[in-house]
Amino acid sequence: MDATDAQAPTIAELLDFVRRTAEDAELVASLPLDPEGRTWLRLEGPGGSEAWLISWPPGTGTGWHDHAESTGAFTVAAGALREHSLAARLPTAGWTTLELSEGIDRDRHLATGQGRAFGRHHVHEVLNESGHEHAISVHAYYPPLPQIRRYSRTGAVLRLEQTERPEDWQ
């Protein structure tokens, strides 16, 4: 373990950070809301982590994706979000199409104040299913996101569609 690893925030520390940040009513209220698309504000996360305050207009979502080698956590600061995830370790390279096993789908409804942490290669999608209310959430990742892999899903088939790097979303 090198000095960088020794200072890396744990998943529990990331979750604690996003929970505390989500309780900062002034910060949450400072995020501009757009009725058409998500807005975000980059935050200083613990231990060199990358953090974001994100708004979710009604009916918006991320699509299926993972955060590659980063661990992470998120908490809902306002409104509610739904997370669909896969409870399986997928291969990290060398594939473009996978047939998923039965019973690996997980579904979470996260109301204001609720959140979760996740490990590397966690495949999920996050949605604001409300027809009229914005949701706001706080996210933290360590190490800072090296890439995001985006997937499409049809039934039990998951397909790798593209890989994005930080310059694609910053």
Side-chain angles (χ1 to χ4, degrees):
M1 179 186 318
D2 65 26
T4 303
D5 291 336
Q7 297 171 7
T10 65
I11 291 176
E13 289 169 333
L14 293 176
L15 185 58
D16 180 60
F17 169 80
V18 297
R19 285 182 172 154
R20 282 184 291 107
T21 303
E23 293 172 355
D24 183 338
E26 188 176 328
L27 175 65
V28 172
S30 75
L31 184 63
L33 304 181
D34 181 334
E36 300 294 318
R38 292 190 296 160
T39 56
W40 54 87
L41 175 64
R42 187 163 184 163
L43 307 172
E44 192 67 37
S49 64
E50 178 175 354
W52 298 91
L53 180 65
I54 301 173
S55 78
W56 306 76
T60 60
T62 60
W64 287 94
H65 68 283
D66 73 16
H67 307 100
E69 296 292 325
S70 298
T71 60
F74 71 98
T75 293
V76 178
L81 295 172
R82 178 159 311 277
E83 180 198 35
H84 299 288
S85 63
L86 302 177
R89 189 113 174 131
L90 301 180
T92 58
W95 66 277
T96 56
T97 303
L98 282 178
E99 185 150 352
L100 302 171
S101 303
E102 285 188 40
I104 67 168
D105 286 294
R106 298 295 180 266
D107 181 49
R108 285 184 177 84
H109 179 266
L110 300 164
T112 299
Q114 295 180 317
R116 67 165 321 228
F118 51 86
R120 296 175 173 168
H121 308 291
H122 174 71
V123 177
H124 68 163
E125 70 173 343
V126 180
L127 310 159
N128 177 1
E129 296 179 320
S130 172
H132 59 279
E133 183 180 3
H134 264 78
I136 297 175
S137 56
V138 181
H139 302 247
Y141 309 98
Y142 189 87
L145 296 172
Q147 66 182 11
I148 292 177
R149 290 182 291 234
R150 299 218 175 260
Y151 305 96
S152 63
R153 182 163 181 196
T154 305
V157 177
L158 188 71
R159 286 185 182 80
L160 176 62
E161 297 292 342
Q162 72 182 68
T163 299
E164 297 175 0
R165 304 227 177 265
E167 56 271 17
D168 298 325
W169 64 78
Q170 291 182 1

